Amino acid sequence: MTAPFAKLSFWGVRGSTPTVDPSTWRYGGNTPCLELIAPDGTQFILDCGTGLRMLGNRGGAPSAGASGDTHILVTHYHWDHIQGIPFFAPLYAENNDFHFYSFRSKFLGRDSLKQVFEAQMAVPYFPVDMSAMNAKRKFKEVGGGDTFRIGENEITTAWLNHPQGCLGFRIETPSGSVVYATDNEPGDAKLDLSLRELAAGADIFINDAQYTPEQLASTRKGWGHSSWLDGARVAKEVGAKTLVLFHHDPDSTDRTVDTILKHAREEFESVFAASEGMVITLGAPGERVEAHMPGSRTALRREAHFRARVCGVTEGGHAFEEDTVVRDLSLQGALISLKHSPRLQSELQVIMETPGVNGMQRMQLRGYVVRIDGEAEKGQTSVGVVFTD
């Protein structure tokens, strides 16, 4: 019998405001939106940033579970976490059912979540109001410390330290637990403890990592965000299995996030930086989580045959070097066959020999691992890289 599994997909990973800067292409520029499909088929959506539009355009309909409902957990009401709502196509289809969950704001009172959605679509901010949305919508108020069940899954909430309030969510599924704790700043003893209790033993701990420790100690103090170092420390203290750095600053380039990820991996073994299109699979309890990057985010490739030497670090953290062949190549990336299995989102050095007028010449490139697939040939791994230099 196949063990049940949960699938977590990242549709938007950027914080504060979307970005289309070419230097943020690899990690993506849409604001927060995640999708979790639990083993019982229940679809959860975490936050409604601009990534929600991409999720809605996937097929024009939600991947609802046996009940036919989709459950949307909203952490708070800042623009970057709600601005995808008007552009979410499934909300305009009358056969869809949505359940929204968030807290009662002291600034808005009763029906806060409904008020927020109605206000951002009111004249003159948007051409149509919420009456144009034909899907069934239900709104439920939850507060920090609440626990409730949806299907076979248990959801727990906790208050986080962020201006005007913010909720963190823990979703316990038969395949493991996912904790989503974006927009939180360390420093409030009570809320720090709340975060640690929420994240204790989590299989996947998604934590705000918008700023560097240096920024957080100076110019960004009080802005309601965390750093990669704080996330790594919490993950280590509470025994989380895998840490995902999230809510990247709009001014952080891909190279900046690469550096943040490198530092975080020096503090905590299993770390990923959230990337648009990334999918993490949770299998049976106790099994290692698996992460995959989307093939669509690599450029169109062409067949090639270059001898190359590749140096990098394995999933187990050991340095390796081997001679191989680059099978196909593009201006932005390559697919390489290796005996070693490098770590996803790690850097490789690729030295290729290319024929030239004066004989063989060497081309030295730095690549970033975006995809790892097993091959039919025993003992080989297909590694997709995006070149950064």
Side-chain angles (χ1 to χ4, degrees):
M1 183 180 293
T2 305
F5 67 91
K7 186 175 80 168
L8 179 67
S9 303
F10 292 78
W11 295 92
V13 302
R14 192 68 52 172
S16 300
T17 187
T19 172
V20 291
D21 189 316
S23 66
T24 62
W25 171 79
R26 268 193 290 122
Y27 286 99
N30 279 300
T31 52
C33 181
L34 282 66
E35 176 192 31
L36 175 67
I37 305 296
D40 65 354
T42 302
Q43 182 192 34
F44 294 95
I45 295 175
L46 301 167
D47 274 333
C48 302
T50 56
L52 186 67
R53 181 182 71 87
M54 305 303 294
L55 169 57
N57 290 346
R58 173 185 56 191
S63 303
S67 67
D69 299 350
T70 296
H71 300 268
I72 301 181
L73 311 179
V74 180
T75 58
H76 63 300
Y77 304 128
H78 289 164
W79 285 121
D80 51 330
H81 294 257
I82 63 168
Q83 61 197 164
I85 282 286
F87 306 96
F88 186 47
L91 274 171
Y92 295 86
E94 61 183 359
N95 58 320
N96 292 332
D97 247 311
F98 293 95
H99 299 258
F100 293 88
Y101 306 79
S102 199
F103 62 93
R104 179 181 294 195
S105 166
K106 67 179 182 181
F107 303 99
L108 297 173
R110 188 177 177 181
D111 295 327
S112 295
L113 184 55
K114 187 179 179 191
Q115 285 188 60
V116 166
F117 287 172
E118 288 175 342
Q120 75 163 333
M121 294 182 69
V123 175
Y125 308 118
F126 202 71
V128 298
D129 59 30
M130 280 194 77
S131 65
M133 293 182 167
N134 298 317
K136 299 180 188 68
R137 303 181 303 276
K138 293 179 183 176
F139 298 88
K140 180 178 175 63
E141 287 185 353
V142 294
D146 288 353
T147 297
F148 52 98
R149 294 193 69 83
I150 299 174
E152 297 176 1
N153 315 285
E154 183 174 272
I155 295 84
T156 302
T157 64
W159 292 116
L160 302 177
N161 188 23
H162 193 67
Q164 289 94 50
C166 183
L167 284 175
F169 293 95
R170 181 185 182 109
I171 305 175
E172 290 278 357
T173 80
S175 293
S177 54
V178 176
V179 171
Y180 180 57
T182 185
D183 293 64
N184 67 87
E185 180 170 346
D188 181 298
K190 183 178 178 181
L191 297 179
D192 286 350
L193 177 61
S194 176
L195 172 64
R196 280 160 174 75
E197 290 174 347
L198 189 74
D203 292 286
I204 300 173
F205 173 39
I206 303 158
N207 191 66
D208 185 310
Q210 181 155 349
Y211 299 133
T212 64
E214 295 74 24
Q215 287 176 313
L216 198 55
S218 55
T219 57
R220 298 297 186 263
K221 187 174 178 60
W223 288 28
H225 296 286
S226 186
S227 75
W228 61 266
L229 181 57
D230 291 292
R233 285 174 175 169
V234 172
K236 194 181 298 184
E237 286 174 22
V238 303
K241 308 297 189 302
T242 294
L243 170 66
V244 180
L245 306 176
F246 188 73
H247 209 272
H248 309 310
D249 191 84
D251 291 329
S252 290
T253 64
D254 290 331
R255 298 299 288 275
T256 301
V257 179
D258 289 346
T259 302
I260 287 171
L261 176 61
K262 181 181 177 184
H263 290 324
R265 282 178 168 169
E266 291 169 355
E267 294 289 328
F268 189 73
E269 183 181 0
S270 181
V271 186
F272 296 104
S275 179
E276 237 171 81
M278 184 168 75
V279 175
I280 297 180
T281 303
L282 269 171
E287 288 186 6
R288 186 178 188 142
V289 300
E290 293 185 6
H292 301 280
M293 302 294 289
S296 60
R297 291 194 71 79
T298 57
L300 183 64
R301 297 188 294 262
R302 292 289 182 264
E303 289 187 6
H305 192 87
F306 293 106
R307 285 184 293 169
R309 172 160 291 184
V310 178
C311 309
V313 179
T314 67
E315 184 60 42
H318 304 291
F320 73 87
E321 181 175 327
E322 68 171 273
D323 294 319
T324 186
V325 171
V326 174
R327 297 187 319 203
D328 58 28
L329 184 68
S330 76
L331 291 176
Q332 291 179 310
L335 186 68
I336 306 174
S337 291
L338 294 176
K339 295 175 184 175
H340 294 87
S341 182
R343 176 180 283 186
L344 190 69
Q345 295 187 323
S346 67
E347 189 174 80
L348 297 179
Q349 181 184 77
V350 182
I351 302 169
M352 293 189 289
E353 294 181 353
T354 58
V357 239
N358 301 315
M360 299 300 289
Q361 297 181 356
R362 287 158 63 89
M363 181 190 302
Q364 184 168 321
L365 300 167
R366 283 202 297 174
Y368 177 85
V369 180
V370 297
R371 185 177 177 182
I372 301 172
D373 294 318
E375 291 188 353
E377 187 180 342
K378 191 175 179 181
Q380 292 288 315
T381 303
S382 284
V383 179
V385 300
V386 169
F387 293 127
T388 55
D389 272 348

